[in-house]
Amino acid sequence: MKVEAKPHYETQTKPKSGADLLVDALIQEEVKTIFGYPGGAVLPIYDALYRAGDAFHHVLARHEQGSIHAAEGYARVTGKPGVVIATSGPGATNLITGIADAMMDSLPVVVFTGQVARGVIGTDAFQEADVMGITTPITKHNYQVQSLSDLPRIVKEAFHIASTGRPGPVVVDIPKDISTEVDDNPPSVEFSLPGYQPNLKPNPLQIKKLTDAMAQAKKPVLLAGAGVHHGKASEELKAFAEQHSLPVVHTLHGLGTFPGSHSLSFGMAGMHGTYAANMALYECDLLINIGSRFDDRLTGKLEHFAPKATVAHIDVDPAEIGKNVPTQIPIVSDSKAALEALLKNADASPSTEEWYKKLDSYREEYPLWYNKPETDMVPQWLMEKVHSYTGGDAIVTTDVGQHQMWAAQYYKLEKPNRWVTSGGLGTMGFGFPAAIGAQLAAPEDKVVAVVGDGGFQMTLQELSLLQEMKLPVKVIIVNNQALGMVRQWQESFYEKRYSESILSTQPDFVKLAESYNIKGMRIESQQDLEERLPEALSNDEPVVVDCRVLQQENVYPMIAPGKGIHEMIGVKP
């Protein structure tokens, strides 16, 4: 695969254009990889990138949505901001889904959009769009540069805001005349943001309240969310859970923060979580939430969520605490700092032996299950095989839907930052370009994109990047010839009226891959998979694998809409 070049670019002497100042600022932020797509309003910026030589590795996506999802994958794996450049108007609006996705899933992304010249803003000029108005609800912050002297400071602020506190996307809208304007005097990059001061350290009194509650608890549970990833706190989480024998359950985005094979891990909770994890949340008397926002797919009907528990919520974003679930012990803090404080101050451990035995009995009596036919493939078995053939060590990306839930259930993650999925927004088309960003972020790691046949068709044009950069991404299409989760809901709640959810006409995915000069294979049986998939996953080249699975297979267990977390269906065969 293509290796990122080390920068040799030297910032040019004055006078400098706005585009030159932007390039200088990106180098100062140690940006190495940029995802983007050129157009009229950003041509001065692309000219400056051209003159910068190998200071950057620019990844030319084939659609702006592909570029920002790739930047999200890069950000998820590295923890560093993904950087995107797009032109004005349709270039910027094609990024909207990815910006909203990054906002919902707290991913650090810095987006630079071109804009028409300042003198014609507001006149409906060619390729003009109100980027500020459109992105205000879906960004952590946004800017429109009005003065060349402000540009370096704004870029520095954008990276600071995107990557500190609760991460999120920041948009910088740059009018074209700002990019071409020249300044003889280097502008200041110093900034002060008195209104933005994230609190990263826990209040000692709140830590004391939590340690006191732990000493009294009989049925405590740790809920690990994405905030553990963002805080780089997986080691502290493991130490804390082991120190006090605390059962651990995960949100969808919390998978990998705690080893999935650990005896204290009871799996993912929520709509398609394990019975043991959901019952742990329902029956607990102390719930310690670390970095989860208590979204509805986790909680089910709120009145039945942890109804007997004292709730402690550790979150770097104070707006999330108490927003959905009443919280008795609020702790505004970075997850790592809070866990470090708990490790130092939690002297008394709760007596959890009986509680653990009960949860373990739930795990033994109600494991995840599926019916395995003699020859045909079912997706659950497929995910188990992908896990087996990769040793459970791959970075896994997904779209949204049935395949996402099967991957979450059956691909047990042992390490952090190896699970890249669209959670809050639930974006079809996310998984494949996100895998490209993940592979660029971790060139030596195996990256597997688990996608549905519906979602893959939304961003499959990015196959060009696998060909161009020789990226060894493995694309596993869980092909049930349907919009699987839509079909499942129509079966369960709409009396099997399959309105527009069956994909009876599809491309030949093998020929499609081959048209990009990428190896493609179709697998239609268990025997075929066992003979061919190990080689596909182990080689050093990109592969698209069209896995034909049974269409009528559903994701179980499940909490139906409007039901409590304890009212699961499909718990047993």
Side-chain angles (χ1 to χ4, degrees):
M1 63 178 287
K2 187 173 180 179
V3 179
E4 295 179 14
K6 294 183 178 179
H8 76 273
Y9 172 74
E10 295 182 3
T11 57
Q12 69 180 60
T13 57
K14 61 182 182 179
K16 294 183 178 182
S17 69
D20 295 322
L21 292 175
L22 174 60
V23 167
D24 290 351
L26 293 175
I27 289 174
Q28 289 297 314
E29 295 298 328
E30 300 182 349
V31 173
K32 301 295 193 302
T33 302
I34 296 172
F35 303 89
Y37 204 97
V42 290
L43 284 181
I45 295 172
Y46 272 84
D47 190 57
L49 291 174
Y50 182 87
R51 288 184 277 108
D54 59 1
F56 306 103
H57 177 202
H58 182 278
V59 180
L60 177 64
R62 298 316 193 251
H63 189 286
E64 289 88 354
Q65 184 177 350
S67 69
I68 192 160
H69 290 331
E72 289 183 273
Y74 183 92
R76 174 69 75 188
V77 172
T78 63
K80 301 175 183 178
V83 178
V84 181
I85 300 176
T87 195
S88 63
T93 58
N94 280 344
L95 297 174
I96 296 305
T97 296
I99 294 171
D101 189 271
M103 185 67 175
M104 290 285 279
D105 287 347
S106 304
L107 291 173
V109 177
V110 179
V111 178
F112 296 96
T113 55
Q115 184 54 274
V116 300
R118 286 171 291 180
V120 294
I121 290 176
T123 68
D124 293 329
F126 176 67
Q127 290 195 332
E128 179 185 2
D130 181 6
V131 172
M132 296 297 286
I134 294 169
T135 62
T136 293
I138 56 171
T139 53
K140 190 175 178 184
H141 196 58
N142 61 4
Y143 298 86
Q144 187 174 80
V145 183
Q146 295 295 331
S147 170
L148 178 61
S149 61
D150 291 335
L151 180 57
R153 172 187 56 79
I154 285 174
V155 174
K156 198 166 189 66
E157 287 182 10
F159 277 85
H160 175 72
I161 292 170
S163 58
T164 56
R166 179 180 182 176
V170 177
V171 168
V172 180
D173 194 41
I174 306 176
K176 186 174 183 179
D177 59 317
I178 292 283
S179 297
T180 57
E181 185 178 332
V182 174
D183 191 346
D184 288 331
N185 300 306
S188 171
V189 296
E190 298 300 319
F191 69 90
S192 174
L193 297 171
Y196 176 71
Q197 300 292 329
N199 182 50
L200 304 180
K201 302 294 183 183
N203 184 313
L205 294 177
Q206 297 302 96
I207 292 292
K208 178 66 164 58
K209 285 183 182 178
L210 179 49
T211 57
D212 288 346
M214 284 175 55
Q216 300 298 318
K218 303 296 184 187
K219 299 178 179 180
V221 170
L222 286 177
L223 173 64
V228 181
H229 286 302
H230 296 312
K232 298 179 175 59
S234 290
E235 289 185 10
E236 289 78 8
L237 175 65
K238 183 172 181 285
F240 182 58
E242 290 177 341
Q243 184 181 68
H244 301 287
S245 298
L246 299 172
V248 180
V249 300
H250 301 86
T251 66
L252 176 66
H253 273 311
L255 292 170
T257 58
F258 189 82
S261 62
H262 198 289
S263 61
L264 288 171
S265 174
F266 287 89
M268 183 178 71
M271 179 171 281
H272 294 292
T274 67
Y275 182 81
N278 283 341
M279 292 307 291
L281 292 176
Y282 181 68
E283 296 181 358
C284 68
D285 62 6
L286 175 63
L287 172 54
I288 305 173
N289 173 3
I290 308 175
S292 162
R293 60 188 178 84
F294 282 137
D295 72 287
D296 60 294
R297 287 295 173 102
L298 169 73
T299 63
K301 194 170 185 180
L302 282 170
E303 67 184 72
H304 298 303
F305 182 76
K308 302 172 184 177
T310 297
V311 176
H313 190 167
I314 299 169
D315 206 296
V316 75
D317 184 356
E320 290 297 343
I321 298 177
K323 184 177 80 173
N324 294 330
V325 173
T327 301
Q328 289 73 47
I329 307 175
I331 300 176
V332 180
S333 172
D334 170 82
S335 58
K336 190 182 191 77
L339 283 164
E340 287 174 342
L342 287 168
L343 283 165
K344 291 178 182 177
N345 294 285
D347 298 323
S349 294
S351 176
T352 60
E353 186 176 349
E354 291 304 315
W355 173 230
Y356 177 84
K357 285 181 180 178
K358 186 173 188 180
L359 295 182
D360 197 39
S361 70
Y362 287 152
R363 177 163 53 189
E364 291 294 321
E365 188 174 354
Y366 304 105
L368 294 171
W369 64 272
Y370 60 90
N371 293 316
K372 183 171 173 286
E374 288 187 9
T375 58
D376 293 333
M377 278 198 301
V378 289
Q380 302 94 324
W381 180 81
L382 168 62
M383 285 300 99
E384 288 184 327
K385 287 298 181 180
V386 172
H387 182 274
S388 174
Y389 296 148
T390 60
D393 195 41
I395 295 172
V396 178
T397 74
T398 81
D399 280 349
V400 65
Q402 286 183 314
H403 71 277
Q404 176 191 36
M405 293 297 103
W406 285 316
Q409 290 176 334
Y410 291 95
Y411 196 100
K412 285 191 176 181
L413 291 139
E414 303 297 315
K415 301 176 185 176
N417 301 314
R418 307 188 77 76
W419 173 246
V420 184
T421 193
S422 175
L425 197 65
T427 302
M428 292 180 69
F430 171 89
F432 175 46
I436 293 170
Q439 188 73 80
L440 290 168
E444 304 305 318
D445 289 339
K446 189 177 300 297
V447 176
V448 179
V450 178
V451 296
D453 46 309
F456 182 55
Q457 293 184 68
M458 292 189 173
T459 50
L460 57 75
Q461 71 278 350
E462 305 308 332
L463 284 168
S464 285
L465 293 178
L466 300 193
Q467 175 189 27
E468 177 184 319
M469 295 186 288
K470 303 296 186 287
L471 297 175
V473 172
K474 315 301 181 184
V475 182
I476 307 294
I477 306 173
V478 183
N479 188 350
N480 55 11
Q481 297 185 292
L483 302 178
M485 194 62 84
V486 175
R487 187 209 60 75
Q488 178 172 338
W489 278 53
Q490 288 172 338
E491 175 186 321
S492 300
F493 310 118
Y494 294 89
E495 298 178 343
K496 298 185 179 181
R497 293 187 293 273
Y498 300 122
S499 177
E500 305 301 325
S501 61
I502 306 302
L503 303 179
S504 54
T505 302
Q506 290 186 328
D508 184 322
F509 290 115
V510 174
K511 290 181 179 179
L512 178 72
E514 291 172 347
S515 74
Y516 285 94
N517 200 29
I518 295 168
K519 185 174 184 178
M521 63 175 65
R522 182 178 299 108
I523 293 178
E524 299 183 282
S525 69
Q526 296 176 33
Q527 181 179 348
D528 198 16
L529 183 138
E530 290 180 323
E531 290 174 354
R532 303 177 69 195
L533 189 61
E535 190 274 330
L537 291 173
S538 63
N539 65 33
D540 259 344
E541 60 183 346
V543 184
V544 175
V545 188
D546 179 10
C547 297
R548 300 300 180 94
V549 299
L550 293 179
Q551 186 180 87
Q552 299 301 317
E553 198 67 21
N554 289 333
V555 183
Y556 289 122
M558 179 181 183
I559 302 170
K563 297 296 183 179
I565 199 166
H566 62 303
E567 299 174 297
M568 306 182 75
I569 59 175
V571 173
K572 283 191 171 185

